[in-house]
Amino acid sequence: MIKKYVFGNPIETDSVIEKIDASGEKLPYFDADESKKELTLTMDRSARIYGLGETVRGINKRGYIYVSNNSDDPFHLEEKKSLYASQNFFVYWDKDLVFGMYVDTPGRVTFDIGYTEINTFTIGFDDFDADIYVVTGSGVTDIVRQFRKIIGKSYVPPRWAFGFGQCRWSYMSADEVREVVDNYDKLGMPIDSVYLDIDYMERYKDFTVDNERFPDFENFVKEMKARNIHLIPIIDAGVKIEEGYDVYEEGVAGDYFVKKENGDRLVAAVWPGKVHFPDFLKEDARKWFGDKYNVLLDKGIDGFWNDMNEPAIFYTEDHLKEVFDGIEEYKGRNLDIRSFFAFKDLVGSIDNNPEDYRRFYHEYKGQRIRHDKVHNLFGYNMTRAAGEAFKRNSPDKRILMFSRSSYIGAHRYGGIWCGDNRSWWSHILLNVQQMPALSMTGFLYSGADIGGFSADVTEDLLMRWTQFGIFTPLFRNHSAEGTRRQEYYRFTDKDGLKKMLQLRYALIPYLYSEFMKAVNNDDMLFKPICFDFPEDEMAQDTEDQLFVGESIMVAPIYRQNARGRYVYLPETMKLLRFRSYDDYDTEILDAGSHYVKAELDEVLVFVRKGHALPLAKPAARVGNIDTSDLSYECFECESTDYELYTDDGISR
Ligand code: MIG
């Protein structure tokens, strides 16, 4: 059952699509303190908290403080409170009580889950205006399902988007892209897409293509299409201010850009230099921007990624002026240490400065609202602009879309990737721990940058990370400018890496089937193991293993030089130790803890009792996988017991 409780005058977010009347009752479980703008609950010692989507730290969120405040922050450290997303749904679960709660409000929300006081869960608001949904049910899975039902079905990408995608910031020319594809094809490593980062554009202008580096783009797209390769360009939130640039001029003429209090358009700076931000919260601006994707769709493009949409701001013109004025005051002065640090802060805090998010306004549902009040809706509505346009302009065919910033609701229009992680072992685990929380909040088509975005990768890290990445719907290797090149063909054990890519392709019928079932039934694709074994205390403490779909459990290796790991089995399972899709050993393991060996080129998969795992023969492209020719690894079950979902993979 779901009940809605209304505090103050909430700004509608359109994240819940089912009409639920406000309950006249008092909010259960939490005490509301209007003057402190807080809700508090005393947590039972046994309580665990799950959800909150894309955040740092473990699967059980107890013991830290998380702030919903979409942020472009490339350091995903344990101490961070905010990443790129606000997904304010969680489940509270103790020995006597389980309930879900969705805190629907577009401004800043603080989830202090035993941080300030170890047993107190406090939800704090900047503005105490929120729709709060309380979900009760027979258990955690049921609660999540009910919640998912009111927020609408998750986005479905084309099936080819389950193939491998290679990315780099940036492939600088058509020739460089050709070289990437050639290398993959030469070695027989499967691949379906290559991503274009900001340098494909002419001076970072959205919906343009640099003619020198990508001459005759339309033909290039055709050439790639003939090889069954999809090119996926990036779209940034800011529109370059430049006379004669049609997107800029249309935006000005149509009054589509965000404005300051005095009515002037906000001037910010991001990659293109000075930009205006489209007011994605305004319906006509959304329609206009969404239709702009046609410029590239018309050239044969069929997928995009939306970036910098928190929005990331390097500086605003106004703030920069204040900083320069501020610096003047320090000039010639004998700086004592305090003033020196103040001076340093002045300069060091220019980008993504909180002040800047209070400098501009949106026209949202007929109201003028200051940005910070609706900050967490910005990326969501950029993705919505695209998603709504794709539905209008490509009514029959699915288009790939995922975003960096998000809010619940955006899951209907696209997936997300988890932003600028690093080539760190701890970030493999972070990837593992983020996936179930994303599943809970409906962001099913998601994944992280495999191999790590920043910092220099090592071959063993890439191998181990890939061994988890092959299970995530979005499976993309991406790395930052200036870091060590990370394409699979550059490393020593090409054969071993190729076998992992092939294993991914062998798993695609299963992954796609489980993905679609999760969409259609409002289920989770990734589940902490205790969700299916709620009474099992070991399962409750296991945070580095996941169920992926109904048939398998994965136990990734995320420690350097480890040649195995402890795995906890909540019940008897069948271990498959894969070296490749057709080279693996199997063993039945009893419930309990086991040290399971896995050499660097081996990946561990556990088939659950009464379930079957279909495996295909891999192919160079997703489109060439023969879904009618599957073998099944079954554990106390028949292949015919497995319900395989298939479709044409492209129609809506
Ligand atoms: O300021 O487009 O998260 O994936 O490669 C960096 C360049 C901007 C951030 C994205 C990353 C992308 C990068 N972008």
Side-chain angles (χ1 to χ4, degrees), residues 497-532:
L497 290 164
K498 169 179 164 176
K499 283 174 174 160
M500 289 303 127
L501 291 174
Q502 288 181 324
L503 181 57
R504 161 62 172 216
Y505 280 63
L507 287 165
I508 283 177
Y510 174 73
L511 291 174
Y512 186 70
S513 175
E514 291 304 306
F515 177 92
M516 290 306 297
K517 285 191 256 175
V519 171
N520 290 330
N521 305 326
D522 299 314
D523 271 332
M524 298 174 65
L525 181 62
F526 292 90
K527 259 191 281 182
I529 63 171
C530 66
F531 278 34
D532 285 354

Short mmCIF file of all heavy atoms in Angstrom, two decimals, residues 497-532:
data_model
loop_
_atom_site.label_atom_id
_atom_site.label_comp_id
_atom_site.label_asym_id
_atom_site.label_seq_id
_atom_site.Cartn_x
_atom_site.Cartn_y
_atom_site.Cartn_z
N LEU A 497 41.13 -11.04 -22.61
CA LEU A 497 40.18 -9.93 -22.62
C LEU A 497 39.09 -10.17 -23.66
O LEU A 497 37.91 -9.93 -23.42
CB LEU A 497 40.92 -8.61 -22.90
CG LEU A 497 41.82 -8.14 -21.74
CD1 LEU A 497 42.81 -7.08 -22.21
CD2 LEU A 497 41.00 -7.62 -20.56
N LYS A 498 39.51 -10.69 -24.81
CA LYS A 498 38.54 -11.00 -25.87
C LYS A 498 37.51 -12.02 -25.36
O LYS A 498 36.31 -11.91 -25.62
CB LYS A 498 39.29 -11.56 -27.07
CG LYS A 498 38.42 -12.18 -28.14
CD LYS A 498 39.29 -12.67 -29.28
CE LYS A 498 38.52 -13.63 -30.18
NZ LYS A 498 39.33 -14.03 -31.34
N LYS A 499 38.00 -12.98 -24.61
CA LYS A 499 37.08 -14.01 -24.09
C LYS A 499 36.05 -13.42 -23.13
O LYS A 499 34.92 -13.89 -23.06
CB LYS A 499 37.87 -15.14 -23.43
CG LYS A 499 38.49 -16.05 -24.48
CD LYS A 499 39.39 -17.08 -23.86
CE LYS A 499 39.86 -18.06 -24.94
NZ LYS A 499 41.07 -18.77 -24.52
N MET A 500 36.46 -12.40 -22.40
CA MET A 500 35.50 -11.74 -21.50
C MET A 500 34.44 -10.99 -22.31
O MET A 500 33.26 -11.01 -21.98
CB MET A 500 36.22 -10.79 -20.53
CG MET A 500 37.05 -11.52 -19.49
SD MET A 500 36.04 -12.67 -18.52
CE MET A 500 36.95 -14.20 -18.69
N LEU A 501 34.89 -10.31 -23.37
CA LEU A 501 33.93 -9.62 -24.23
C LEU A 501 32.98 -10.63 -24.87
O LEU A 501 31.77 -10.41 -24.95
CB LEU A 501 34.65 -8.83 -25.32
CG LEU A 501 35.44 -7.60 -24.84
CD1 LEU A 501 36.22 -6.98 -25.99
CD2 LEU A 501 34.51 -6.57 -24.23
N GLN A 502 33.54 -11.75 -25.29
CA GLN A 502 32.69 -12.80 -25.89
C GLN A 502 31.70 -13.36 -24.88
O GLN A 502 30.55 -13.64 -25.22
CB GLN A 502 33.56 -13.92 -26.44
CG GLN A 502 34.31 -13.52 -27.70
CD GLN A 502 35.16 -14.65 -28.24
OE1 GLN A 502 35.73 -15.43 -27.45
NE2 GLN A 502 35.25 -14.76 -29.55
N LEU A 503 32.16 -13.49 -23.64
CA LEU A 503 31.25 -13.99 -22.61
C LEU A 503 30.08 -13.03 -22.44
O LEU A 503 28.92 -13.45 -22.29
CB LEU A 503 32.01 -14.17 -21.28
CG LEU A 503 31.20 -14.72 -20.11
CD1 LEU A 503 30.56 -16.06 -20.43
CD2 LEU A 503 32.09 -14.84 -18.86
N ARG A 504 30.38 -11.73 -22.48
CA ARG A 504 29.30 -10.75 -22.43
C ARG A 504 28.26 -11.04 -23.53
O ARG A 504 27.06 -11.06 -23.27
CB ARG A 504 29.86 -9.35 -22.61
CG ARG A 504 28.86 -8.27 -23.03
CD ARG A 504 27.78 -8.08 -21.98
NE ARG A 504 26.93 -6.93 -22.28
CZ ARG A 504 26.42 -6.14 -21.35
NH1 ARG A 504 26.67 -6.37 -20.07
NH2 ARG A 504 25.65 -5.12 -21.69
N TYR A 505 28.75 -11.27 -24.73
CA TYR A 505 27.83 -11.48 -25.84
C TYR A 505 27.07 -12.80 -25.68
O TYR A 505 25.91 -12.90 -26.05
CB TYR A 505 28.57 -11.39 -27.19
CG TYR A 505 28.77 -9.93 -27.60
CD1 TYR A 505 29.56 -9.09 -26.82
CD2 TYR A 505 28.14 -9.40 -28.71
CE1 TYR A 505 29.72 -7.75 -27.16
CE2 TYR A 505 28.29 -8.06 -29.07
CZ TYR A 505 29.09 -7.24 -28.28
OH TYR A 505 29.23 -5.90 -28.61
N ALA A 506 27.73 -13.79 -25.07
CA ALA A 506 27.04 -15.06 -24.80
C ALA A 506 25.91 -14.86 -23.79
O ALA A 506 24.90 -15.57 -23.80
CB ALA A 506 28.04 -16.09 -24.29
N LEU A 507 26.11 -13.87 -22.91
CA LEU A 507 25.13 -13.62 -21.85
C LEU A 507 23.99 -12.70 -22.30
O LEU A 507 23.00 -12.53 -21.59
CB LEU A 507 25.83 -12.96 -20.65
CG LEU A 507 26.74 -13.84 -19.79
CD1 LEU A 507 27.62 -12.98 -18.89
CD2 LEU A 507 25.91 -14.81 -18.94
N ILE A 508 24.11 -12.08 -23.45
CA ILE A 508 23.13 -11.06 -23.85
C ILE A 508 21.68 -11.58 -23.91
O ILE A 508 20.78 -10.90 -23.41
CB ILE A 508 23.58 -10.31 -25.12
CG1 ILE A 508 24.67 -9.31 -24.71
CG2 ILE A 508 22.41 -9.60 -25.81
CD1 ILE A 508 25.28 -8.52 -25.84
N PRO A 509 21.43 -12.76 -24.45
CA PRO A 509 20.02 -13.22 -24.42
C PRO A 509 19.47 -13.25 -22.99
O PRO A 509 18.34 -12.83 -22.74
CB PRO A 509 20.09 -14.62 -25.02
CG PRO A 509 21.29 -14.58 -25.90
CD PRO A 509 22.29 -13.70 -25.19
N TYR A 510 20.28 -13.70 -22.05
CA TYR A 510 19.86 -13.73 -20.65
C TYR A 510 19.70 -12.31 -20.10
O TYR A 510 18.66 -11.96 -19.52
CB TYR A 510 20.86 -14.51 -19.80
CG TYR A 510 20.55 -14.45 -18.31
CD1 TYR A 510 19.47 -15.15 -17.79
CD2 TYR A 510 21.32 -13.67 -17.45
CE1 TYR A 510 19.16 -15.07 -16.43
CE2 TYR A 510 21.03 -13.59 -16.09
CZ TYR A 510 19.94 -14.29 -15.58
OH TYR A 510 19.64 -14.22 -14.24
N LEU A 511 20.71 -11.48 -20.30
CA LEU A 511 20.67 -10.13 -19.73
C LEU A 511 19.51 -9.32 -20.29
O LEU A 511 18.81 -8.62 -19.57
CB LEU A 511 21.99 -9.39 -20.00
CG LEU A 511 23.21 -9.93 -19.26
CD1 LEU A 511 24.47 -9.21 -19.74
CD2 LEU A 511 23.05 -9.77 -17.75
N TYR A 512 19.31 -9.44 -21.59
CA TYR A 512 18.21 -8.69 -22.22
C TYR A 512 16.87 -9.20 -21.72
O TYR A 512 15.97 -8.42 -21.39
CB TYR A 512 18.31 -8.83 -23.74
CG TYR A 512 17.31 -7.97 -24.47
CD1 TYR A 512 17.43 -6.59 -24.47
CD2 TYR A 512 16.23 -8.54 -25.14
CE1 TYR A 512 16.51 -5.79 -25.12
CE2 TYR A 512 15.30 -7.75 -25.79
CZ TYR A 512 15.44 -6.36 -25.78
OH TYR A 512 14.52 -5.58 -26.42
N SER A 513 16.76 -10.50 -21.64
CA SER A 513 15.53 -11.12 -21.15
C SER A 513 15.23 -10.68 -19.72
O SER A 513 14.11 -10.26 -19.39
CB SER A 513 15.71 -12.64 -21.24
OG SER A 513 14.63 -13.31 -20.69
N GLU A 514 16.24 -10.73 -18.87
CA GLU A 514 16.04 -10.34 -17.46
C GLU A 514 15.78 -8.84 -17.34
O GLU A 514 14.99 -8.40 -16.50
CB GLU A 514 17.25 -10.75 -16.63
CG GLU A 514 17.40 -12.26 -16.47
CD GLU A 514 16.14 -12.90 -15.88
OE1 GLU A 514 15.69 -12.47 -14.80
OE2 GLU A 514 15.60 -13.83 -16.52
N PHE A 515 16.46 -8.08 -18.18
CA PHE A 515 16.24 -6.64 -18.20
C PHE A 515 14.78 -6.33 -18.55
O PHE A 515 14.10 -5.56 -17.87
CB PHE A 515 17.18 -5.99 -19.22
CG PHE A 515 17.00 -4.50 -19.36
CD1 PHE A 515 17.74 -3.61 -18.58
CD2 PHE A 515 16.08 -3.98 -20.26
CE1 PHE A 515 17.56 -2.24 -18.71
CE2 PHE A 515 15.89 -2.60 -20.39
CZ PHE A 515 16.63 -1.74 -19.61
N MET A 516 14.30 -6.95 -19.62
CA MET A 516 12.94 -6.67 -20.06
C MET A 516 11.90 -7.15 -19.05
O MET A 516 10.87 -6.51 -18.85
CB MET A 516 12.69 -7.31 -21.43
CG MET A 516 13.44 -6.63 -22.56
SD MET A 516 13.17 -4.84 -22.68
CE MET A 516 11.42 -4.81 -23.04
N LYS A 517 12.19 -8.27 -18.41
CA LYS A 517 11.27 -8.73 -17.38
C LYS A 517 11.26 -7.75 -16.21
O LYS A 517 10.20 -7.46 -15.63
CB LYS A 517 11.66 -10.14 -16.91
CG LYS A 517 11.28 -11.22 -17.92
CD LYS A 517 11.42 -12.60 -17.31
CE LYS A 517 12.66 -13.29 -17.83
NZ LYS A 517 12.90 -14.59 -17.18
N ALA A 518 12.42 -7.23 -15.86
CA ALA A 518 12.49 -6.24 -14.78
C ALA A 518 11.70 -4.98 -15.15
O ALA A 518 11.02 -4.40 -14.32
CB ALA A 518 13.94 -5.89 -14.46
N VAL A 519 11.80 -4.57 -16.41
CA VAL A 519 11.02 -3.41 -16.87
C VAL A 519 9.53 -3.73 -16.77
O VAL A 519 8.75 -2.99 -16.16
CB VAL A 519 11.39 -3.03 -18.33
CG1 VAL A 519 10.43 -1.96 -18.86
CG2 VAL A 519 12.83 -2.56 -18.42
N ASN A 520 9.15 -4.84 -17.35
CA ASN A 520 7.72 -5.15 -17.44
C ASN A 520 7.07 -5.46 -16.11
O ASN A 520 5.89 -5.18 -15.91
CB ASN A 520 7.49 -6.31 -18.41
CG ASN A 520 7.78 -5.88 -19.85
OD1 ASN A 520 7.59 -4.71 -20.19
ND2 ASN A 520 8.25 -6.80 -20.67
N ASN A 521 7.83 -6.04 -15.19
CA ASN A 521 7.26 -6.41 -13.89
C ASN A 521 7.65 -5.45 -12.76
O ASN A 521 7.42 -5.74 -11.60
CB ASN A 521 7.70 -7.83 -13.50
CG ASN A 521 7.36 -8.84 -14.59
OD1 ASN A 521 6.35 -8.70 -15.27
ND2 ASN A 521 8.23 -9.82 -14.77
N ASP A 522 8.29 -4.34 -13.12
CA ASP A 522 8.77 -3.39 -12.10
C ASP A 522 9.68 -4.07 -11.09
O ASP A 522 9.61 -3.80 -9.89
CB ASP A 522 7.59 -2.72 -11.38
CG ASP A 522 6.72 -1.92 -12.33
OD1 ASP A 522 7.27 -1.17 -13.15
OD2 ASP A 522 5.48 -2.07 -12.29
N ASP A 523 10.54 -4.95 -11.58
CA ASP A 523 11.46 -5.64 -10.69
C ASP A 523 12.86 -5.05 -10.75
O ASP A 523 13.17 -4.26 -11.63
CB ASP A 523 11.53 -7.13 -11.08
CG ASP A 523 10.46 -7.94 -10.36
OD1 ASP A 523 10.05 -7.53 -9.26
OD2 ASP A 523 10.03 -8.96 -10.93
N MET A 524 13.67 -5.52 -9.83
CA MET A 524 15.06 -5.09 -9.82
C MET A 524 15.87 -6.03 -10.69
O MET A 524 15.65 -7.24 -10.67
CB MET A 524 15.61 -5.15 -8.39
CG MET A 524 14.87 -4.23 -7.44
SD MET A 524 15.41 -4.45 -5.73
CE MET A 524 17.11 -3.89 -5.84
N LEU A 525 16.83 -5.49 -11.41
CA LEU A 525 17.73 -6.36 -12.17
C LEU A 525 18.88 -6.82 -11.28
O LEU A 525 19.31 -7.96 -11.34
CB LEU A 525 18.26 -5.60 -13.41
CG LEU A 525 19.18 -6.38 -14.32
CD1 LEU A 525 18.48 -7.59 -14.92
CD2 LEU A 525 19.73 -5.48 -15.43
N PHE A 526 19.36 -5.90 -10.43
CA PHE A 526 20.44 -6.22 -9.48
C PHE A 526 19.87 -6.19 -8.07
O PHE A 526 19.24 -5.20 -7.68
CB PHE A 526 21.56 -5.19 -9.56
CG PHE A 526 22.30 -5.23 -10.85
CD1 PHE A 526 21.90 -4.47 -11.94
CD2 PHE A 526 23.41 -6.06 -11.00
CE1 PHE A 526 22.58 -4.52 -13.14
CE2 PHE A 526 24.09 -6.11 -12.20
CZ PHE A 526 23.68 -5.35 -13.28
N LYS A 527 20.11 -7.26 -7.33
CA LYS A 527 19.55 -7.34 -5.99
C LYS A 527 20.63 -7.74 -4.98
O LYS A 527 21.39 -8.68 -5.22
CB LYS A 527 18.48 -8.44 -5.95
CG LYS A 527 17.06 -7.89 -6.03
CD LYS A 527 16.03 -8.95 -5.73
CE LYS A 527 15.80 -9.82 -6.94
NZ LYS A 527 14.78 -10.84 -6.72
N PRO A 528 20.67 -7.05 -3.84
CA PRO A 528 21.51 -7.55 -2.74
C PRO A 528 20.98 -8.94 -2.38
O PRO A 528 19.76 -9.17 -2.46
CB PRO A 528 21.24 -6.57 -1.60
CG PRO A 528 20.62 -5.37 -2.23
CD PRO A 528 19.92 -5.84 -3.46
N ILE A 529 21.84 -9.85 -1.98
CA ILE A 529 21.37 -11.23 -1.80
C ILE A 529 20.37 -11.37 -0.65
O ILE A 529 19.52 -12.24 -0.67
CB ILE A 529 22.52 -12.25 -1.71
CG1 ILE A 529 23.42 -12.01 -0.52
CG2 ILE A 529 23.33 -12.27 -3.00
CD1 ILE A 529 24.43 -13.15 -0.31
N CYS A 530 20.42 -10.48 0.32
CA CYS A 530 19.47 -10.60 1.44
C CYS A 530 18.04 -10.25 1.01
O CYS A 530 17.10 -10.57 1.73
CB CYS A 530 19.90 -9.75 2.63
SG CYS A 530 19.85 -7.99 2.31
N PHE A 531 17.88 -9.61 -0.16
CA PHE A 531 16.51 -9.31 -0.59
C PHE A 531 15.72 -10.59 -0.85
O PHE A 531 14.52 -10.62 -0.69
CB PHE A 531 16.52 -8.42 -1.85
CG PHE A 531 16.72 -6.95 -1.56
CD1 PHE A 531 17.52 -6.53 -0.51
CD2 PHE A 531 16.09 -5.98 -2.33
CE1 PHE A 531 17.71 -5.18 -0.24
CE2 PHE A 531 16.27 -4.62 -2.06
CZ PHE A 531 17.08 -4.22 -1.02
N ASP A 532 16.43 -11.63 -1.25
CA ASP A 532 15.76 -12.92 -1.45
C ASP A 532 15.92 -13.87 -0.27
O ASP A 532 15.28 -14.91 -0.21
CB ASP A 532 16.29 -13.61 -2.73
CG ASP A 532 15.72 -12.94 -3.98
OD1 ASP A 532 14.86 -12.05 -3.84
OD2 ASP A 532 16.15 -13.30 -5.09
#
